Amino acid sequence: MPYLPNDREYRAMPMLAHLENEDTEYRVEGYATTFEDPYLLFSWEGVDYFETIDRNAIDENTIMDDVIFQYDHQGMVYARMHNNTLQVSSDDHGLKVVADLSKTADARNMYENIMSGNVYQMSWAFTVDKDEFDKDTHTRHIKHIKKMYDVSAVSIPANPSTEISIAQQRIQGAMEELRQELVERERKIKTLKILAEVYK
């Protein structure tokens, strides 16, 4: 199956770093992802495949016109950039999220779930327009994020096979290219051996 660069991808962080801010009630902070920090995507045929996000993958060309804060990437919107209840920014560590969950009863209920520890993971949805695959380390390097759609508190990360399906297609595509290169190289070597025998 071909890799489609406009397909939306989802990644979950193991922990939502929720912090109660002294100045603003119902405020939560966390990181939707970290930079330059390889994480395991999946294992395939006994080989581990990784992914890392470049420190400069999110820049002024990344479309972030109205990112929203949801639960499990669907349904209710608890905060959004459009009304200044959500801030999403890059720092040296990663993609930082600050959400004001004070504006609606549903948002305040989400805050209570986060602060109680019932919800402690975070995920984000995005599309990629530039990446590279390192065949030696089996690592996909995301070089630039085209568009960011949402950041979400999540009950549990999505099924790993769903969560990483696009990246898996990309990596499997790169591995297929490598296999084809090896097949072509072997064909050329075989042809040269035949010619060498003929013209001895």
Side-chain angles (χ1 to χ4, degrees):
M1 187 173 192
Y3 168 66
L4 302 175
N6 291 322
D7 282 356
R8 195 175 300 193
E9 302 186 37
Y10 301 87
R11 298 291 181 277
M13 289 293 290
M15 296 292 292
L16 171 66
H18 52 276
L19 301 172
E20 193 165 7
N21 188 283
E22 294 178 359
D23 301 324
T24 307
E25 198 174 6
Y26 297 106
R27 172 173 161 150
V28 294
E29 300 181 9
Y31 283 90
T33 192
T34 54
F35 298 143
E36 310 290 349
D37 183 19
Y39 46 86
L40 179 67
L41 269 180
F42 61 93
S43 295
W44 184 53
E45 295 185 352
V47 179
D48 290 338
Y49 292 88
F50 300 89
E51 184 176 77
T52 185
I53 298 176
D54 190 89
R55 189 175 307 280
N56 300 308
I58 300 167
D59 60 17
E60 66 276 2
N61 296 314
T62 301
I63 301 169
M64 299 172 53
D65 48 358
D66 192 17
V67 179
I68 59 177
F69 184 98
Q70 291 182 290
Y71 181 61
D72 284 340
H73 300 288
Q74 60 187 350
M76 185 71 61
V77 175
Y78 298 107
R80 70 187 314 150
M81 291 178 71
H82 180 72
N83 66 358
N84 297 316
T85 55
L86 178 66
Q87 298 170 20
V88 180
S89 60
S90 299
D91 63 20
D92 287 339
H93 183 66
L95 181 64
K96 187 173 183 179
V97 175
V98 180
D100 174 3
L101 301 180
S102 69
K103 302 303 182 185
T104 67
D106 290 315
R108 290 190 292 273
N109 286 338
M110 174 53 62
Y111 172 86
E112 296 298 338
N113 274 293
I114 292 170
M115 296 312 296
S116 69
N118 289 335
V119 177
Y120 61 91
Q121 295 174 311
M122 179 166 278
S123 180
W124 64 310
F126 57 93
T127 52
V128 175
D129 64 356
K130 185 179 179 184
D131 66 353
E132 296 173 358
F133 181 67
D134 186 324
K135 297 173 184 176
D136 295 329
T137 62
H138 306 116
T139 303
R140 180 195 189 198
H141 298 278
I142 294 179
K143 295 294 187 179
H144 192 258
I145 300 296
K146 179 179 181 180
K147 180 170 181 164
M148 195 181 312
Y149 296 90
D150 71 80
V151 291
S152 286
V154 291
S155 50
I156 55 174
N159 182 318
S161 63
T162 301
E163 193 175 278
I164 53 82
S165 61
I166 303 303
Q168 187 170 13
Q169 290 167 21
R170 172 73 174 95
I171 290 171
Q172 287 174 353
M175 295 306 291
E176 178 60 22
E177 287 177 16
L178 179 60
R179 190 186 71 76
Q180 292 292 344
E181 288 173 13
L182 292 173
V183 167
E184 180 62 18
R185 189 179 305 160
E186 287 174 6
R187 186 190 66 76
K188 287 179 180 177
I189 290 171
K190 187 181 288 186
T191 301
L192 288 172
K193 284 181 179 177
I194 293 170
L195 290 173
E197 285 296 319
V198 170
Y199 293 104
K200 252 189 200 181

